[in-house]
Amino acid sequence: MPYYSSKLTASLFALMSISFWGVSFVSTKAVLEKLDPFSLLVIRFGIGALFLLLLLLLQRHRLYISIKYVPHLMVLGILGVFVHQVLQATALLTINASAAGWLISFSPIFTVILSLLFLHEKMNITKAVGMVLAVTGVLIVTSTRSGQSIQFAMNMGFLLMILSTLNWAIYSVLLKSLKIPYPPLVVTFYMCLVGLILTTPFIIRNRGWENLTLLDHSEWAHLVFLGVFVSGIAYWYWGKALEVLEASKVSMFLYLEPIATLAAAVLLLHEKVLLISGIGGIIIIIGVVIVNGQLVPMLLRFFKKKRL
């Protein structure tokens, strides 16, 4: 496959991943009305692991992995699946889905910082300006969700969401740098399995299975979507994108995730969005696009090739 074609395919994989993740906040918020965060995650990881196992069997992938890479998969599973999803599910108990979607756009900022520290990328004035804009946008979104001032608006939910974005940046850089020599589907399966194993004791302690009978068809549909498309396909496609593109370039697509979240929140949860929050979200997107500095050049190259 030509290099530009593989890059375009990888970009499409990343775009599909963030689309599913964008909607995931809405589905999670809907199910949290009946289930506690850990029970939700156990069912989600269970559905995801089963789906990925079926895919592995259908594609005849080997399930064997070398003992050498077990610690790698454990770390990725703990950070990228268990910790990340626990932070987000807990955060959604106190913030709405659209706010969560805007805040996730902060992740590329952390990716750039980690790249500076560990991948020795250079900082310039353009990136610095973009980071300031993104931080400003985040403050606007967090401080105007109900007309409150900044000092009274920050709560644990917003802090947990920001922590989850830092955690995701660490996960993406690690997934790229560890270079585990197995197909992304195999890696994703074991990561999902780690998430299932780590959360199962909590559903036993909380007797979370008792509330499963309270779920209606719509809420079960949200759970299946979270398991198959969010815990399964989205993580798989993100790994496929990272095989071809640099971590900082893949993180570029997170800029579009809030749009998917906002659209789903309005359509499915009937959430109201304040104009100033929308402006803050736009400032976030502008800031992280400037930080990465790759979106406009990529689009120009793409349309130039289309004309040729």
Side-chain angles (χ1 to χ4, degrees):
M1 179 182 296
Y3 182 60
Y4 71 88
S5 296
S6 63
K7 288 181 65 176
L8 180 59
T9 301
S11 298
L12 291 174
F13 282 135
L15 181 60
M16 292 179 69
S17 293
I18 64 96
S19 298
F20 293 142
W21 286 329
V23 179
S24 74
F25 296 115
V26 173
S27 292
T28 300
K29 188 75 174 177
V31 180
L32 280 174
E33 295 180 3
K34 302 275 184 73
L35 297 180
D36 66 90
F38 286 104
S39 298
L40 184 156
L41 292 175
V42 170
I43 304 302
R44 171 178 167 175
F45 294 148
I47 294 173
L50 180 60
F51 171 74
L52 291 169
L53 179 60
L54 290 174
L55 278 183
L56 286 170
L57 295 175
L58 289 173
Q59 297 188 14
R60 299 184 179 180
H61 282 294
R62 293 181 61 190
L63 292 176
Y64 169 81
I65 56 170
S66 170
I67 192 69
K68 173 183 177 181
Y69 295 103
V70 170
H72 298 65
L73 292 172
M74 286 292 293
V75 170
L76 290 173
I78 291 171
L79 287 178
V81 178
F82 177 70
V83 173
H84 187 68
Q85 298 303 332
V86 168
L87 285 173
Q88 289 195 354
T90 306
L92 284 167
L93 291 173
T94 55
I95 64 175
N96 61 38
S98 56
W102 290 123
L103 287 170
I104 205 68
S105 297
F106 206 43
S107 185
I109 300 292
F110 290 123
T111 302
V112 169
I113 294 173
L114 292 176
S115 297
L116 289 171
L117 294 175
F118 299 105
L119 302 180
H120 309 294
E121 294 184 2
K122 296 181 179 180
M123 171 62 78
N124 54 41
I125 187 64
T126 302
K127 288 184 178 180
V129 170
M131 290 178 68
V132 171
L133 275 176
V135 171
T136 302
V138 169
L139 290 176
I140 291 174
V141 172
T142 57
S143 64
T144 58
R145 69 186 192 279
S146 59
Q148 296 174 315
S149 59
I150 290 176
Q151 59 266 33
F152 296 110
M154 296 297 289
N155 64 19
M156 186 57 67
F158 284 103
L159 294 176
L160 289 175
M161 278 303 304
I162 292 174
L163 281 176
S164 78
T165 64
L166 172 59
N167 178 76
W168 185 257
I170 295 172
Y171 161 76
S172 293
V173 171
L174 277 177
L175 183 60
K176 180 70 177 180
S177 61
L178 288 177
K179 298 179 179 179
I180 301 175
Y182 295 103
L185 184 58
V186 175
V187 174
T188 305
F189 166 70
Y190 281 108
M191 285 169 43
C192 194
L193 191 61
V194 168
L196 176 61
I197 293 171
L198 291 177
T199 49
T200 296
F202 292 96
I203 194 174
I204 295 174
R205 184 194 67 180
N206 298 337
R207 302 178 67 86
W209 64 82
E210 294 178 352
N211 290 331
L212 293 179
T213 57
L214 301 177
L215 299 179
D216 57 28
H217 296 299
S218 173
E219 289 157 344
W220 272 109
H222 281 296
L223 269 180
V224 172
F225 170 77
L226 289 169
V228 173
F229 291 95
V230 180
S231 293
I233 294 176
Y235 274 89
W236 174 28
Y237 282 1
W238 193 255
K240 289 172 73 69
L242 283 168
E243 278 191 320
V244 178
L245 300 173
E246 296 175 4
S248 60
K249 292 183 179 179
V250 175
S251 72
M252 171 187 69
F253 292 91
L254 288 169
Y255 311 158
L256 304 176
E257 186 170 337
I259 298 173
T261 303
L262 184 61
V266 172
L267 293 174
L268 300 178
L269 298 183
H270 309 292
E271 288 188 2
K272 295 181 180 180
V273 181
L274 295 175
L275 177 60
I276 188 65
S277 294
I279 293 173
I282 293 171
I283 292 174
I284 293 174
I285 295 175
I286 293 173
V288 289
V289 167
I290 291 174
V291 165
N292 191 278
Q294 296 295 326
L295 180 60
V296 174
M298 177 177 283
L299 290 174
L300 289 175
R301 288 195 298 269
F302 174 74
F303 286 115
K304 183 178 179 181
K305 287 171 182 176
K306 291 288 286 184
R307 287 197 301 268
L308 294 176

